[in-house]
Amino acid sequence: MEAILLNGKEIAEKKRKMIRDEVSQLRLKNIIPGLAVILVGDDSASRTYVTNKQKTSKQLGMHSILIEFPSSVSEEDLLSKVQELNIDPSIHGILVQLPLPKQIDEIKVIEAISPNKDVDGFHPINIGRLMIGQDTFIPCTPFGIMEMIKETGVTVEGKHVVIVGRSNIVGKPAGQLFLNENGTVTYCHSRTPKLHEYTSKADILVSAVGKVDLIRGDHVKEGAIVIDVGMNRNASGKLCGDVAFEEVKKKASYITPVPGGVGPMTITMLMENTLKAAKLLLQNR
Ligand code: NDP
């Protein structure tokens, strides 16, 4: 039997419709969720991400502003813009597109964002809240992964979840979310010997590495759910993930494609976080 495709575009569209409806409700109460995106320099991939985030927020009825700085911007100027946005009542979510140029300390910038406006969920306070199972802004990609898992109807509790990759923005928070759902979590990374010995025992396998064909058929247990976060170009320049899709779909029960899997979910969960930030304000009125 072939795996069922977890279509990120479809799941994202369903979610976006719900967000759009909630934004309309908030607008009736004179709250327009506002997202500020800061772009430093002119990296083409960063610009594409930022443009997509802006476009989506507008489609969902949100207020969205883009603040651009040249790559020569000083840390001080960037920090003072963040402070300004922290107190701007029309802005509920602040996102600084990473990576930043070398002269700027990324950690300092992330820590300058008010935790209540940290819609990327990268602020140490929000990461701490995630660790102890408190309500927080969940980093968008792991948040999207959990939404896709929900879509399968499979409960995480008691499952063995193997996460390949331990970055602060994807791997680590993804593992924490599965742990919070009572999964048994194993993290693998570049120093893990015999990767397949771990991955082939996973009921749920998440690969967030960035290497074409890292996960082959023999890395996967029969019937596993396979979530491919990787975004790579193969030898012919085609967008692909970490998972050898054609081989793995013959063994998995569910699988995400690349493109059209986790990617569309990531932006959608950013919108969900921006909506949440605006609703927080309503609660605190
Ligand atoms: P990072 O480069 O920060 O992390 C990659 C992780 O993979 C590291 O933990 C690294 O281990 C591990 N790794 C590297 N090589 C191997 C290997 N051979 N075996 C096992 N583990 C290995 O990447 P990100 O987490 O930021 O992103 C991962 C991938 O996901 C990328 O392709 C990125 O483009 C994509 N991505 C996709 C998103 C989407 O929306 N679809 C959003 C964000 C990212 P170590 O820690 O030891 O170095």
Short mmCIF file of all heavy atoms in Angstrom, two decimals, residues 202-270:
data_model
loop_
_atom_site.label_atom_id
_atom_site.label_comp_id
_atom_site.label_asym_id
_atom_site.label_seq_id
_atom_site.Cartn_x
_atom_site.Cartn_y
_atom_site.Cartn_z
N ALA A 202 11.13 4.46 14.16
CA ALA A 202 10.20 5.56 14.42
C ALA A 202 8.78 5.24 13.94
O ALA A 202 8.60 4.78 12.82
CB ALA A 202 10.68 6.83 13.71
N ASP A 203 7.81 5.55 14.81
CA ASP A 203 6.41 5.53 14.36
C ASP A 203 6.13 6.83 13.61
O ASP A 203 5.34 6.88 12.68
CB ASP A 203 5.46 5.46 15.56
CG ASP A 203 5.69 4.22 16.41
OD1 ASP A 203 5.75 3.13 15.81
OD2 ASP A 203 5.84 4.35 17.64
N ILE A 204 6.78 7.90 14.09
CA ILE A 204 6.67 9.20 13.43
C ILE A 204 8.09 9.68 13.19
O ILE A 204 8.89 9.77 14.12
CB ILE A 204 5.89 10.21 14.30
CG1 ILE A 204 4.47 9.71 14.57
CG2 ILE A 204 5.86 11.60 13.63
CD1 ILE A 204 3.66 10.55 15.57
N LEU A 205 8.42 9.95 11.93
CA LEU A 205 9.78 10.37 11.59
C LEU A 205 9.73 11.77 10.97
O LEU A 205 9.00 12.01 10.02
CB LEU A 205 10.37 9.37 10.58
CG LEU A 205 11.75 9.70 10.00
CD1 LEU A 205 12.81 9.81 11.09
CD2 LEU A 205 12.17 8.64 8.98
N VAL A 206 10.50 12.69 11.58
CA VAL A 206 10.57 14.06 11.07
C VAL A 206 12.00 14.30 10.62
O VAL A 206 12.93 14.15 11.42
CB VAL A 206 10.18 15.08 12.17
CG1 VAL A 206 10.31 16.51 11.65
CG2 VAL A 206 8.77 14.82 12.68
N SER A 207 12.20 14.69 9.37
CA SER A 207 13.55 15.02 8.94
C SER A 207 13.66 16.51 8.66
O SER A 207 12.96 17.05 7.81
CB SER A 207 13.93 14.22 7.68
OG SER A 207 15.28 14.52 7.37
N ALA A 208 14.53 17.18 9.40
CA ALA A 208 14.75 18.63 9.25
C ALA A 208 16.25 18.86 9.18
O ALA A 208 16.87 19.33 10.12
CB ALA A 208 14.13 19.38 10.43
N VAL A 209 16.82 18.50 8.05
CA VAL A 209 18.27 18.54 7.90
C VAL A 209 18.71 19.45 6.75
O VAL A 209 19.49 20.39 6.94
CB VAL A 209 18.83 17.10 7.69
CG1 VAL A 209 20.31 17.14 7.34
CG2 VAL A 209 18.60 16.27 8.94
N GLY A 210 18.19 19.18 5.56
CA GLY A 210 18.65 19.94 4.39
C GLY A 210 19.64 19.14 3.56
O GLY A 210 20.62 19.70 3.07
N LYS A 211 19.37 17.84 3.42
CA LYS A 211 20.23 16.98 2.58
C LYS A 211 19.37 16.08 1.71
O LYS A 211 18.55 15.30 2.22
CB LYS A 211 21.12 16.09 3.47
CG LYS A 211 22.30 16.83 4.06
CD LYS A 211 23.45 15.86 4.42
CE LYS A 211 24.75 16.60 4.57
NZ LYS A 211 24.78 17.57 5.66
N VAL A 212 19.58 16.19 0.40
CA VAL A 212 18.81 15.41 -0.57
C VAL A 212 19.00 13.91 -0.29
O VAL A 212 20.13 13.45 -0.09
CB VAL A 212 19.30 15.73 -2.01
CG1 VAL A 212 18.53 14.92 -3.04
CG2 VAL A 212 19.20 17.23 -2.29
N ASP A 213 17.88 13.18 -0.30
CA ASP A 213 17.90 11.71 -0.17
C ASP A 213 18.59 11.19 1.10
O ASP A 213 19.12 10.09 1.10
CB ASP A 213 18.60 11.07 -1.39
CG ASP A 213 17.71 11.11 -2.62
OD1 ASP A 213 16.51 11.43 -2.48
OD2 ASP A 213 18.22 10.83 -3.72
N LEU A 214 18.58 11.97 2.17
CA LEU A 214 19.15 11.49 3.43
C LEU A 214 18.35 10.30 3.97
O LEU A 214 18.90 9.34 4.49
CB LEU A 214 19.15 12.63 4.48
CG LEU A 214 19.68 12.25 5.85
CD1 LEU A 214 21.20 12.12 5.82
CD2 LEU A 214 19.28 13.29 6.90
N ILE A 215 17.03 10.38 3.81
CA ILE A 215 16.15 9.33 4.34
C ILE A 215 15.70 8.44 3.18
O ILE A 215 14.92 8.87 2.31
CB ILE A 215 14.93 9.96 5.06
CG1 ILE A 215 15.37 10.96 6.16
CG2 ILE A 215 14.01 8.88 5.62
CD1 ILE A 215 16.14 10.37 7.32
N ARG A 216 16.21 7.23 3.16
CA ARG A 216 15.88 6.27 2.10
C ARG A 216 14.86 5.27 2.62
O ARG A 216 14.54 5.27 3.81
CB ARG A 216 17.15 5.52 1.65
CG ARG A 216 18.36 6.38 1.35
CD ARG A 216 18.13 7.23 0.12
NE ARG A 216 17.78 6.45 -1.04
CZ ARG A 216 18.54 6.35 -2.14
NH1 ARG A 216 19.70 6.98 -2.20
NH2 ARG A 216 18.12 5.64 -3.17
N GLY A 217 14.43 4.40 1.73
CA GLY A 217 13.44 3.38 2.12
C GLY A 217 13.85 2.60 3.36
O GLY A 217 13.03 2.37 4.26
N ASP A 218 15.13 2.21 3.45
CA ASP A 218 15.55 1.37 4.58
C ASP A 218 15.72 2.15 5.89
O ASP A 218 16.06 1.59 6.92
CB ASP A 218 16.82 0.57 4.25
CG ASP A 218 18.01 1.46 3.96
OD1 ASP A 218 17.83 2.69 3.93
OD2 ASP A 218 19.13 0.94 3.77
N HIS A 219 15.49 3.45 5.83
CA HIS A 219 15.52 4.25 7.06
C HIS A 219 14.14 4.26 7.75
O HIS A 219 14.00 4.84 8.83
CB HIS A 219 15.87 5.72 6.76
CG HIS A 219 17.30 5.96 6.45
ND1 HIS A 219 17.86 5.68 5.24
CD2 HIS A 219 18.30 6.46 7.21
CE1 HIS A 219 19.14 6.01 5.26
NE2 HIS A 219 19.44 6.48 6.44
N VAL A 220 13.15 3.70 7.08
CA VAL A 220 11.77 3.94 7.52
C VAL A 220 11.08 2.63 7.87
O VAL A 220 11.18 1.64 7.16
CB VAL A 220 10.99 4.67 6.38
CG1 VAL A 220 9.53 4.87 6.75
CG2 VAL A 220 11.64 6.03 6.09
N LYS A 221 10.35 2.69 8.99
CA LYS A 221 9.57 1.52 9.43
C LYS A 221 8.29 1.43 8.61
O LYS A 221 7.69 2.47 8.27
CB LYS A 221 9.24 1.71 10.93
CG LYS A 221 8.48 0.58 11.55
CD LYS A 221 8.57 0.67 13.07
CE LYS A 221 7.22 0.99 13.68
NZ LYS A 221 7.28 0.99 15.15
N GLU A 222 7.85 0.25 8.34
CA GLU A 222 6.58 0.01 7.64
C GLU A 222 5.44 0.73 8.40
O GLU A 222 5.32 0.54 9.62
CB GLU A 222 6.34 -1.50 7.62
CG GLU A 222 5.46 -2.03 6.53
CD GLU A 222 6.09 -2.01 5.15
OE1 GLU A 222 7.25 -2.48 4.98
OE2 GLU A 222 5.41 -1.50 4.25
N GLY A 223 4.68 1.56 7.74
CA GLY A 223 3.52 2.20 8.37
C GLY A 223 3.84 3.49 9.12
O GLY A 223 2.96 4.08 9.75
N ALA A 224 5.08 3.96 9.06
CA ALA A 224 5.44 5.19 9.79
C ALA A 224 4.82 6.43 9.13
O ALA A 224 4.52 6.42 7.93
CB ALA A 224 6.96 5.34 9.81
N ILE A 225 4.67 7.47 9.94
CA ILE A 225 4.29 8.79 9.39
C ILE A 225 5.60 9.52 9.12
O ILE A 225 6.45 9.62 10.02
CB ILE A 225 3.44 9.59 10.40
CG1 ILE A 225 2.13 8.86 10.71
CG2 ILE A 225 3.17 11.00 9.88
CD1 ILE A 225 1.29 9.54 11.78
N VAL A 226 5.78 10.02 7.91
CA VAL A 226 7.05 10.67 7.56
C VAL A 226 6.81 12.13 7.18
O VAL A 226 6.06 12.43 6.25
CB VAL A 226 7.75 9.92 6.40
CG1 VAL A 226 9.06 10.61 6.02
CG2 VAL A 226 8.02 8.47 6.80
N ILE A 227 7.44 13.01 7.95
CA ILE A 227 7.30 14.45 7.73
C ILE A 227 8.64 14.99 7.23
O ILE A 227 9.65 14.90 7.92
CB ILE A 227 6.91 15.19 9.04
CG1 ILE A 227 5.67 14.58 9.70
CG2 ILE A 227 6.76 16.69 8.80
CD1 ILE A 227 4.34 14.88 9.09
N ASP A 228 8.62 15.53 6.04
CA ASP A 228 9.86 16.00 5.40
C ASP A 228 9.91 17.53 5.44
O ASP A 228 9.16 18.21 4.73
CB ASP A 228 9.85 15.50 3.95
CG ASP A 228 11.18 15.72 3.25
OD1 ASP A 228 12.09 16.34 3.85
OD2 ASP A 228 11.31 15.26 2.10
N VAL A 229 10.78 18.06 6.29
CA VAL A 229 10.88 19.52 6.44
C VAL A 229 11.92 20.09 5.46
O VAL A 229 11.84 21.25 5.06
CB VAL A 229 11.27 19.91 7.89
CG1 VAL A 229 11.27 21.41 8.07
CG2 VAL A 229 10.33 19.26 8.88
N GLY A 230 12.86 19.28 5.06
CA GLY A 230 13.99 19.74 4.24
C GLY A 230 13.55 20.50 3.00
O GLY A 230 12.51 20.20 2.40
N MET A 231 14.33 21.48 2.64
CA MET A 231 14.09 22.21 1.38
C MET A 231 15.42 22.29 0.65
O MET A 231 16.32 23.02 1.07
CB MET A 231 13.56 23.61 1.68
CG MET A 231 12.07 23.60 1.90
SD MET A 231 11.27 25.16 1.58
CE MET A 231 12.20 26.28 2.55
N ASN A 232 15.53 21.50 -0.38
CA ASN A 232 16.81 21.40 -1.11
C ASN A 232 16.55 21.47 -2.60
O ASN A 232 15.42 21.38 -3.05
CB ASN A 232 17.46 20.03 -0.81
CG ASN A 232 17.43 19.68 0.65
OD1 ASN A 232 17.98 20.39 1.47
ND2 ASN A 232 16.76 18.58 1.01
N ARG A 233 17.64 21.61 -3.35
CA ARG A 233 17.58 21.47 -4.81
C ARG A 233 18.33 20.20 -5.16
O ARG A 233 19.44 19.97 -4.68
CB ARG A 233 18.28 22.66 -5.49
CG ARG A 233 17.63 24.00 -5.20
CD ARG A 233 16.66 24.40 -6.28
NE ARG A 233 15.86 25.53 -5.82
CZ ARG A 233 14.68 25.83 -6.31
NH1 ARG A 233 14.14 25.11 -7.26
NH2 ARG A 233 14.01 26.87 -5.85
N ASN A 234 17.73 19.36 -6.01
CA ASN A 234 18.45 18.15 -6.43
C ASN A 234 19.39 18.49 -7.59
O ASN A 234 19.49 19.66 -8.00
CB ASN A 234 17.48 17.01 -6.77
CG ASN A 234 16.62 17.32 -7.97
OD1 ASN A 234 16.90 18.26 -8.72
ND2 ASN A 234 15.58 16.53 -8.17
N ALA A 235 20.06 17.47 -8.13
CA ALA A 235 21.09 17.71 -9.16
C ALA A 235 20.51 18.44 -10.38
O ALA A 235 21.22 19.21 -11.03
CB ALA A 235 21.69 16.38 -9.56
N SER A 236 19.22 18.22 -10.66
CA SER A 236 18.64 18.93 -11.82
C SER A 236 17.97 20.24 -11.42
O SER A 236 17.22 20.83 -12.20
CB SER A 236 17.70 18.02 -12.60
OG SER A 236 16.98 17.19 -11.73
N GLY A 237 18.23 20.69 -10.20
CA GLY A 237 17.75 22.02 -9.79
C GLY A 237 16.31 22.03 -9.29
O GLY A 237 15.74 23.08 -9.00
N LYS A 238 15.71 20.84 -9.18
CA LYS A 238 14.31 20.77 -8.73
C LYS A 238 14.24 20.82 -7.20
O LYS A 238 15.08 20.24 -6.52
CB LYS A 238 13.71 19.42 -9.20
CG LYS A 238 12.42 19.60 -9.99
CD LYS A 238 11.89 18.27 -10.46
CE LYS A 238 10.72 17.85 -9.61
NZ LYS A 238 10.37 16.44 -9.69
N LEU A 239 13.21 21.52 -6.71
CA LEU A 239 13.01 21.61 -5.26
C LEU A 239 12.66 20.23 -4.69
O LEU A 239 11.79 19.54 -5.24
CB LEU A 239 11.87 22.60 -4.99
CG LEU A 239 11.73 23.13 -3.58
CD1 LEU A 239 12.97 23.92 -3.17
CD2 LEU A 239 10.49 24.02 -3.46
N CYS A 240 13.34 19.82 -3.63
CA CYS A 240 13.01 18.53 -3.02
C CYS A 240 13.34 18.58 -1.53
O CYS A 240 13.98 19.52 -1.06
CB CYS A 240 13.78 17.41 -3.70
SG CYS A 240 15.55 17.54 -3.46
N GLY A 241 12.93 17.54 -0.81
CA GLY A 241 13.17 17.50 0.63
C GLY A 241 14.37 16.64 0.98
O GLY A 241 15.28 16.46 0.16
N ASP A 242 14.34 16.08 2.21
CA ASP A 242 15.41 15.19 2.67
C ASP A 242 15.07 13.73 2.37
O ASP A 242 15.92 12.86 2.50
CB ASP A 242 15.55 15.27 4.21
CG ASP A 242 16.01 16.64 4.69
OD1 ASP A 242 16.52 17.42 3.87
OD2 ASP A 242 15.85 16.91 5.90
N VAL A 243 13.80 13.50 2.05
CA VAL A 243 13.31 12.12 1.96
C VAL A 243 13.27 11.66 0.50
O VAL A 243 12.78 12.39 -0.37
CB VAL A 243 11.89 12.05 2.58
CG1 VAL A 243 11.26 10.68 2.39
CG2 VAL A 243 11.94 12.42 4.07
N ALA A 244 13.78 10.46 0.25
CA ALA A 244 13.69 9.87 -1.09
C ALA A 244 12.23 9.44 -1.28
O ALA A 244 11.83 8.32 -0.93
CB ALA A 244 14.64 8.69 -1.21
N PHE A 245 11.44 10.37 -1.79
CA PHE A 245 9.98 10.27 -1.75
C PHE A 245 9.46 8.97 -2.38
O PHE A 245 8.63 8.28 -1.79
CB PHE A 245 9.39 11.51 -2.45
CG PHE A 245 7.91 11.61 -2.38
CD1 PHE A 245 7.28 12.14 -1.26
CD2 PHE A 245 7.11 11.14 -3.42
CE1 PHE A 245 5.91 12.23 -1.18
CE2 PHE A 245 5.74 11.22 -3.35
CZ PHE A 245 5.13 11.77 -2.23
N GLU A 246 9.93 8.66 -3.58
CA GLU A 246 9.38 7.50 -4.30
C GLU A 246 9.60 6.19 -3.53
O GLU A 246 8.73 5.34 -3.50
CB GLU A 246 10.00 7.39 -5.71
CG GLU A 246 9.59 8.54 -6.64
CD GLU A 246 8.07 8.66 -6.81
OE1 GLU A 246 7.39 7.63 -6.89
OE2 GLU A 246 7.58 9.82 -6.83
N GLU A 247 10.78 6.05 -2.91
CA GLU A 247 11.06 4.83 -2.12
C GLU A 247 10.24 4.81 -0.84
O GLU A 247 9.66 3.79 -0.47
CB GLU A 247 12.55 4.84 -1.66
CG GLU A 247 13.52 4.43 -2.71
CD GLU A 247 14.97 4.56 -2.19
OE1 GLU A 247 15.21 4.43 -0.98
OE2 GLU A 247 15.85 4.80 -3.05
N VAL A 248 10.23 5.95 -0.16
CA VAL A 248 9.66 5.98 1.19
C VAL A 248 8.13 5.90 1.16
O VAL A 248 7.52 5.30 2.05
CB VAL A 248 10.17 7.23 1.96
CG1 VAL A 248 9.44 7.41 3.28
CG2 VAL A 248 11.67 7.13 2.18
N LYS A 249 7.52 6.43 0.11
CA LYS A 249 6.05 6.39 0.06
C LYS A 249 5.53 4.95 0.00
O LYS A 249 4.38 4.69 0.33
CB LYS A 249 5.51 7.25 -1.08
CG LYS A 249 5.61 6.66 -2.44
CD LYS A 249 4.89 7.52 -3.47
CE LYS A 249 4.96 6.84 -4.84
NZ LYS A 249 4.62 7.69 -5.94
N LYS A 250 6.38 4.02 -0.41
CA LYS A 250 5.96 2.61 -0.48
C LYS A 250 5.90 1.98 0.91
O LYS A 250 5.31 0.94 1.10
CB LYS A 250 6.92 1.81 -1.36
CG LYS A 250 6.85 2.25 -2.81
CD LYS A 250 7.72 1.38 -3.70
CE LYS A 250 7.75 1.96 -5.11
NZ LYS A 250 9.10 2.13 -5.61
N LYS A 251 6.56 2.60 1.90
CA LYS A 251 6.59 2.02 3.25
C LYS A 251 5.76 2.82 4.26
O LYS A 251 5.23 2.25 5.20
CB LYS A 251 8.04 1.95 3.74
CG LYS A 251 8.86 0.93 2.98
CD LYS A 251 10.24 0.80 3.57
CE LYS A 251 10.30 -0.22 4.69
NZ LYS A 251 11.67 -0.36 5.19
N ALA A 252 5.70 4.12 4.07
CA ALA A 252 5.06 4.98 5.07
C ALA A 252 3.53 4.85 5.01
O ALA A 252 2.98 4.40 3.99
CB ALA A 252 5.46 6.43 4.82
N SER A 253 2.88 5.26 6.11
CA SER A 253 1.40 5.31 6.08
C SER A 253 0.96 6.70 5.61
O SER A 253 -0.02 6.83 4.87
CB SER A 253 0.82 5.01 7.46
OG SER A 253 1.35 5.89 8.42
N TYR A 254 1.70 7.71 6.02
CA TYR A 254 1.44 9.10 5.59
C TYR A 254 2.78 9.71 5.25
O TYR A 254 3.79 9.44 5.91
CB TYR A 254 0.82 9.93 6.71
CG TYR A 254 -0.59 9.56 7.06
CD1 TYR A 254 -0.85 8.60 8.05
CD2 TYR A 254 -1.68 10.17 6.43
CE1 TYR A 254 -2.14 8.25 8.39
CE2 TYR A 254 -2.98 9.83 6.77
CZ TYR A 254 -3.20 8.87 7.74
OH TYR A 254 -4.49 8.54 8.08
N ILE A 255 2.78 10.59 4.26
CA ILE A 255 4.03 11.27 3.89
C ILE A 255 3.73 12.68 3.39
O ILE A 255 2.67 12.92 2.80
CB ILE A 255 4.79 10.44 2.81
CG1 ILE A 255 6.20 10.98 2.58
CG2 ILE A 255 4.02 10.40 1.49
CD1 ILE A 255 7.10 10.03 1.77
N THR A 256 4.64 13.60 3.68
CA THR A 256 4.46 14.97 3.18
C THR A 256 5.32 15.16 1.92
O THR A 256 6.47 14.71 1.88
CB THR A 256 4.90 16.03 4.22
OG1 THR A 256 6.30 15.85 4.49
CG2 THR A 256 4.13 15.91 5.51
N PRO A 257 4.78 15.81 0.90
CA PRO A 257 5.60 16.07 -0.29
C PRO A 257 6.44 17.33 -0.13
O PRO A 257 6.18 18.13 0.77
CB PRO A 257 4.52 16.31 -1.37
CG PRO A 257 3.38 16.92 -0.63
CD PRO A 257 3.41 16.34 0.77
N VAL A 258 7.44 17.49 -0.96
CA VAL A 258 8.17 18.77 -1.05
C VAL A 258 8.31 19.07 -2.54
O VAL A 258 8.85 18.22 -3.27
CB VAL A 258 9.58 18.67 -0.42
CG1 VAL A 258 10.32 20.01 -0.59
CG2 VAL A 258 9.51 18.30 1.05
N PRO A 259 7.83 20.16 -3.05
CA PRO A 259 7.10 21.22 -2.32
C PRO A 259 5.64 20.82 -2.04
O PRO A 259 5.20 19.77 -2.49
CB PRO A 259 7.16 22.39 -3.31
CG PRO A 259 7.24 21.75 -4.67
CD PRO A 259 8.00 20.47 -4.48
N GLY A 260 4.96 21.69 -1.29
CA GLY A 260 3.53 21.47 -1.04
C GLY A 260 3.25 20.70 0.24
O GLY A 260 2.13 20.22 0.44
N GLY A 261 4.25 20.59 1.12
CA GLY A 261 4.04 19.89 2.39
C GLY A 261 4.13 20.85 3.56
O GLY A 261 3.22 21.66 3.79
N VAL A 262 5.25 20.80 4.26
CA VAL A 262 5.43 21.62 5.46
C VAL A 262 5.51 23.12 5.12
O VAL A 262 5.04 23.96 5.88
CB VAL A 262 6.69 21.16 6.23
CG1 VAL A 262 6.96 22.04 7.44
CG2 VAL A 262 6.55 19.71 6.67
N GLY A 263 6.08 23.43 3.96
CA GLY A 263 6.27 24.84 3.56
C GLY A 263 5.03 25.71 3.71
O GLY A 263 5.05 26.71 4.43
N PRO A 264 3.91 25.36 3.05
CA PRO A 264 2.71 26.21 3.15
C PRO A 264 2.18 26.30 4.58
O PRO A 264 1.55 27.29 4.96
CB PRO A 264 1.68 25.50 2.26
CG PRO A 264 2.43 24.55 1.42
CD PRO A 264 3.73 24.24 2.10
N MET A 265 2.46 25.26 5.39
CA MET A 265 1.99 25.28 6.78
C MET A 265 2.75 26.31 7.60
O MET A 265 2.20 26.94 8.50
CB MET A 265 2.17 23.90 7.43
CG MET A 265 1.31 22.81 6.85
SD MET A 265 -0.44 23.21 6.89
CE MET A 265 -0.77 23.26 8.65
N THR A 266 4.03 26.49 7.30
CA THR A 266 4.87 27.39 8.09
C THR A 266 4.31 28.82 8.06
O THR A 266 4.12 29.45 9.11
CB THR A 266 6.32 27.36 7.57
OG1 THR A 266 6.82 26.04 7.77
CG2 THR A 266 7.22 28.34 8.30
N ILE A 267 4.01 29.31 6.86
CA ILE A 267 3.49 30.69 6.75
C ILE A 267 2.11 30.78 7.41
O ILE A 267 1.80 31.75 8.10
CB ILE A 267 3.40 31.13 5.28
CG1 ILE A 267 4.81 31.22 4.70
CG2 ILE A 267 2.66 32.45 5.14
CD1 ILE A 267 4.91 31.91 3.36
N THR A 268 1.33 29.73 7.24
CA THR A 268 -0.01 29.75 7.83
C THR A 268 0.05 29.85 9.35
O THR A 268 -0.72 30.59 9.98
CB THR A 268 -0.77 28.46 7.41
OG1 THR A 268 -0.75 28.42 5.99
CG2 THR A 268 -2.19 28.45 7.91
N MET A 269 1.01 29.15 9.96
CA MET A 269 1.09 29.19 11.42
C MET A 269 1.64 30.54 11.91
O MET A 269 1.35 30.96 13.02
CB MET A 269 1.92 28.03 11.96
CG MET A 269 1.40 26.64 11.58
SD MET A 269 -0.38 26.46 11.35
CE MET A 269 -0.94 26.41 13.04
N LEU A 270 2.40 31.22 11.03
CA LEU A 270 2.81 32.59 11.38
C LEU A 270 1.57 33.49 11.47
O LEU A 270 1.46 34.34 12.36
CB LEU A 270 3.78 33.12 10.32
CG LEU A 270 4.16 34.58 10.45
CD1 LEU A 270 5.00 34.82 11.69
CD2 LEU A 270 4.90 35.06 9.21
#
